Amino acid sequence: VMAAAAKHLTPVTLELGGKSPCYIDKDCDLAVACRRITWGKYMNCGQTCIAPDYILCHPSIQSEVVENIKATLKEFYGDDVKSSPDYERIINQRHFKRVKSLLEGQKIALGGETDEASCFIAPTILTDVSPDSKVMEEEIFGPVLPIVTVKSVEEAIEFINLREKPLALYVFSNKKQLIRRVIAETSSGGMTANDVLMHSVVPELPFGGVGHSGMGTYHGKFSFETFSHRRACLIRDLRWELLNRLRYPPGSMEMMHL
Amino acid sequence: VMAAAAKHLTPVTLELGGKSPCYIDKDCDLAVACRRITWGKYMNCGQTCIAPDYILCHPSIQSEVVENIKATLKEFYGDDVKSSPDYERIINQRHFKRVKSLLEGQKIALGGETDEASCFIAPTILTDVSPDSKVMEEEIFGPVLPIVTVKSVEEAIEFINHREKPLALYVFSNNKQLIKRVISETSSGGVTGNDVIMHFFLSTLPFGGVGHSGMGAYHGKHSFETFSHRRACLIKDLKMESTNKMRYPPGSQKKVDWAKFFLLKRFNKARIGLFVLALLGVVAAVMIKVSFG
């Protein structure tokens, strides 16, 4: 798009995407955190630009995270997800096949059922995912949630920084210091701590990406600024011409010193 | 540049250029106006992105404009411009040839002398220039000042709007209304009224183009904003989870109704509404305390 716009010198604001990491600290209310993550991840069947793409957490809480998400899914969609009126489907066959192929060779802790006829993919969680696997390459944009284990927040920050800048970043922790540290040591389009998606809902906050996740921002006042040209107008007087003598030639060292 | 940056998704701020028009109203102090225009036009031999490119004025003041600029040039550079230490040269041979070719077939009211060896082009003014001539096609970026005559400010505005949006626009008039009118009826990167170039020096003003003259702005705080990414960070708490119930599935009409209430109903009475709401909150809190106390 940008290359096409370049031909006509049209300015662009690009809202792209990326893999939005979601770091869960050991010190946090896991039940609440997982409920919010579940809501954000499986909303519209994971097909939102700012859905938490994958989870980073300590190996010791991995199974607890899975259990919590499982419990929340039952709360939200009932026992049979497929028949729930609130659970969506994948947008088309092409993406259905794409997302389904990401499951190959993965350890499926929950879900994994698919139905090609209705483009249905059950809410799925993958555990002990390898950072080099296919599901960790591109934005998933589907109801598949990989969990990558990290030993510490430093490892999580390093993991995030090794990759392209995401559109959104999520941190769950009771420790405000830790949250601030993650914000300071990483870069992303936007971020929400202790929740998901909500920073895009606040109209006073600029919404947009950085690096590979996009350029420019909008929402609320920022939309107005983005799509307008702020024209600098300086209206002077024709009087007080004497003061201008300083800038006119012929130049001289006295003037330079002044 | 933009196409190259597109390959790497690098955001760009482009300061391009254009033909910066300079409209001189009949009602203005011509001596002062011409002195300022002369300064801006021939600074660095016309090789600045925001130099006044061409003049638009009424035919009746055209010769007076030429005379004033001529007098100012003498003030600035003395009788022999070529020997003045303050007058610059064209940057290279290629541009020297380019600017020189713009003079062909034009009515030269002043200047026109060139010297290829030193890339010297004398301060030149062209009068009664046709809007279709070569000198009116691209940005001149040289010490050649065409004057195009227009019968009125409406004609000037129309003339400017027919062309690509310029990087700068100049208006000289004692009539502030006229200046404001030109500003509102045209578009340009920036404007200076009754002077040239000065909007570039005010670091609080954003400097940049629009349309074909560029995109994005910088200078002062605007540079910081342009080259930074303003990252939205929303830090919430893990408490108060019950208030979130409304957004979780399963959906229900009741939830939709509540959502509509919170999102669509706007208490638009501004501060008074907010005050009333706060008051109601206090009353409710007191009542709760009393009833449970």
Side-chain angles (χ1 to χ4, degrees):
Chain A
V1 168
M2 191 178 173
K7 294 201 189 95
H8 305 277
L9 281 177
T10 305
V12 291
T13 299
L14 301 173
E15 196 222 282
L16 305 174
K19 296 186 75 59
S20 302
C22 185
Y23 175 69
I24 309 179
D25 191 31
K26 277 205 272 190
D27 171 21
C28 88
D29 185 343
L30 271 186
V32 176
C34 291
R35 183 175 306 124
R36 295 179 180 185
I37 293 172
T38 311
W39 170 71
K41 175 66 184 185
Y42 300 107
M43 181 197 285
N44 204 27
C45 217
Q47 295 165 123
T48 51
C49 52
I50 38 174
D53 193 274
Y54 63 95
I55 287 179
L56 289 165
C57 69
H58 197 274
S60 59
I61 54 169
Q62 192 181 214
S63 45
E64 207 183 327
V65 166
V66 175
E67 284 310 309
N68 274 303
I69 296 181
K70 189 173 174 177
T72 310
L73 282 168
K74 200 171 273 194
E75 258 183 66
F76 287 1
Y77 304 113
D79 284 312
D80 182 16
V81 182
K82 207 174 177 189
S83 59
S84 162
D86 296 298
Y87 191 70
E88 294 88 355
R89 299 293 182 265
I90 303 299
I91 186 77
N92 58 31
Q93 282 277 325
R94 180 164 74 88
H95 283 287
F96 171 84
K97 289 190 166 86
R98 179 185 63 80
V99 178
K100 187 174 172 193
S101 71
L102 299 174
L103 302 174
E104 281 162 36
Q106 296 293 346
K107 199 196 284 183
I108 297 178
L110 181 72
E113 299 90 26
T114 64
D115 175 18
E116 191 154 345
S118 55
C119 286
F120 166 82
I121 298 182
T124 305
I125 308 176
L126 311 173
T127 46
D128 296 319
V129 176
S130 154
D132 307 312
S133 49
K134 197 166 169 214
V135 74
M136 289 305 289
E137 272 175 33
E138 278 189 7
E139 191 177 353
I140 295 169
F141 219 72
V144 174
L145 180 59
I147 303 181
V148 177
T149 53
V150 287
K151 299 278 186 335
S152 61
V153 69
E154 285 83 16
E155 211 186 304
I157 291 173
E158 211 189 302
F159 188 93
I160 294 169
N161 286 339
L162 272 175
R163 290 151 175 272
E164 294 297 343
K165 298 181 183 184
L167 185 53
L169 191 136
Y170 302 110
V171 189
F172 283 85
S173 174
N174 280 329
K175 294 207 278 282
K176 289 276 147 65
Q177 278 291 85
L178 186 139
I179 294 174
R180 280 189 216 287
R181 184 182 168 194
V182 175
I183 292 178
E185 294 181 24
T186 60
S187 178
S188 68
M191 70 89 61
T192 299
N194 290 329
D195 208 340
V196 294
L197 312 185
M198 297 311 280
H199 65 280
S200 65
V201 175
V202 180
E204 286 86 16
L205 288 178
F207 179 74
V210 64
H212 274 226
S213 56
M215 55 180 78
T217 57
Y218 62 110
H219 273 183
K221 186 173 178 222
F222 296 98
S223 297
F224 180 78
E225 304 230 338
T226 292
F227 297 114
S228 324
H229 166 65
R230 188 179 279 195
R231 187 186 192 186
C233 300
L234 174 64
I235 303 177
R236 300 197 71 195
D237 235 297
L238 282 166
R239 298 173 287 184
W240 304 102
E241 181 62 0
L242 210 67
L243 297 173
N244 278 347
R245 280 190 162 263
L246 211 67
R247 70 188 202 198
Y248 297 140
S252 65
M253 282 321 282
E254 290 88 35
M255 300 240 192
M256 280 293 296
H257 289 313
L258 259 168
Chain B
V1 167
M2 190 178 174
K7 293 199 188 98
H8 305 277
L9 282 177
T10 306
V12 290
T13 299
L14 302 173
E15 194 222 283
L16 305 174
K19 295 187 73 61
S20 302
C22 186
Y23 174 69
I24 310 180
D25 192 31
K26 277 205 270 191
D27 169 24
C28 88
D29 185 342
L30 271 186
V32 176
C34 292
R35 183 176 304 122
R36 296 179 179 184
I37 294 172
T38 310
W39 169 70
K41 176 67 184 185
Y42 301 107
M43 180 198 287
N44 202 28
C45 216
Q47 296 165 123
T48 51
C49 52
I50 40 175
D53 193 274
Y54 63 95
I55 288 181
L56 290 165
C57 69
H58 196 274
S60 59
I61 54 169
Q62 192 180 211
S63 44
E64 207 183 328
V65 166
V66 175
E67 285 312 307
N68 274 302
I69 296 181
K70 189 171 171 181
T72 311
L73 282 168
K74 199 170 275 191
E75 260 182 64
F76 286 3
Y77 304 112
D79 285 314
D80 182 18
V81 181
K82 208 172 175 190
S83 56
S84 161
D86 296 301
Y87 191 71
E88 293 89 354
R89 298 292 182 267
I90 303 298
I91 186 78
N92 59 30
Q93 282 278 325
R94 181 165 72 90
H95 283 286
F96 171 83
K97 290 190 166 88
R98 178 185 64 79
V99 177
K100 189 176 171 192
S101 71
L102 299 175
L103 302 174
E104 281 162 36
Q106 297 292 345
K107 199 196 285 184
I108 298 179
L110 181 72
E113 298 91 24
T114 64
D115 174 20
E116 190 155 344
S118 55
C119 287
F120 166 82
I121 298 182
T124 305
I125 308 177
L126 312 172
T127 47
D128 295 321
V129 175
S130 155
D132 307 313
S133 48
K134 198 165 170 217
V135 74
M136 289 305 288
E137 271 175 33
E138 279 187 5
E139 191 177 353
I140 295 168
F141 219 70
V144 174
L145 180 58
I147 303 182
V148 177
T149 53
V150 287
K151 300 279 185 337
S152 62
V153 69
E154 285 83 16
E155 211 185 305
I157 291 173
E158 212 188 302
F159 187 94
I160 293 168
N161 286 339
H162 262 147
R163 292 150 174 273
E164 292 299 341
K165 297 182 185 184
L167 185 52
L169 190 137
Y170 303 110
V171 191
F172 284 84
S173 176
N174 280 328
N175 187 349
K176 288 276 150 65
Q177 280 290 84
L178 187 138
I179 296 177
K180 284 198 211 288
R181 184 184 168 191
V182 174
I183 291 177
S184 62
E185 291 182 27
T186 59
S187 177
S188 66
V191 175
T192 298
N194 288 326
D195 207 340
V196 294
I197 300 180
M198 297 311 282
H199 66 280
F200 178 86
F201 290 115
L202 260 166
S203 61
T204 43
L205 288 179
F207 178 74
V210 65
H212 275 224
S213 54
M215 55 180 77
Y218 63 109
H219 274 181
K221 186 175 177 219
H222 303 279
S223 295
F224 179 80
E225 305 231 338
T226 291
F227 297 113
S228 323
H229 166 64
R230 189 180 277 198
R231 185 187 192 185
C233 300
L234 176 64
I235 303 176
K236 293 192 76 183
D237 242 307
L238 281 166
K239 296 177 276 193
M240 307 284 278
E241 178 62 358
S242 51
T243 53
N244 275 347
K245 273 201 172 273
M246 214 176 68
R247 70 187 202 197
Y248 296 141
S252 68
Q253 189 55 41
K254 189 166 169 209
K255 285 189 181 176
V256 173
D257 292 337
W258 274 111
K260 275 187 176 167
F261 174 76
F262 279 119
L263 295 174
L264 296 177
K265 204 171 170 72
R266 305 229 139 175
F267 294 95
N268 257 337
K269 308 297 174 235
R271 286 220 170 85
I272 298 174
L274 205 61
F275 182 73
V276 168
L277 211 60
L279 209 63
L280 281 171
V282 168
V283 167
V286 167
M287 280 174 61
I288 292 172
K289 191 153 187 214
V290 162
S291 60
F292 278 105

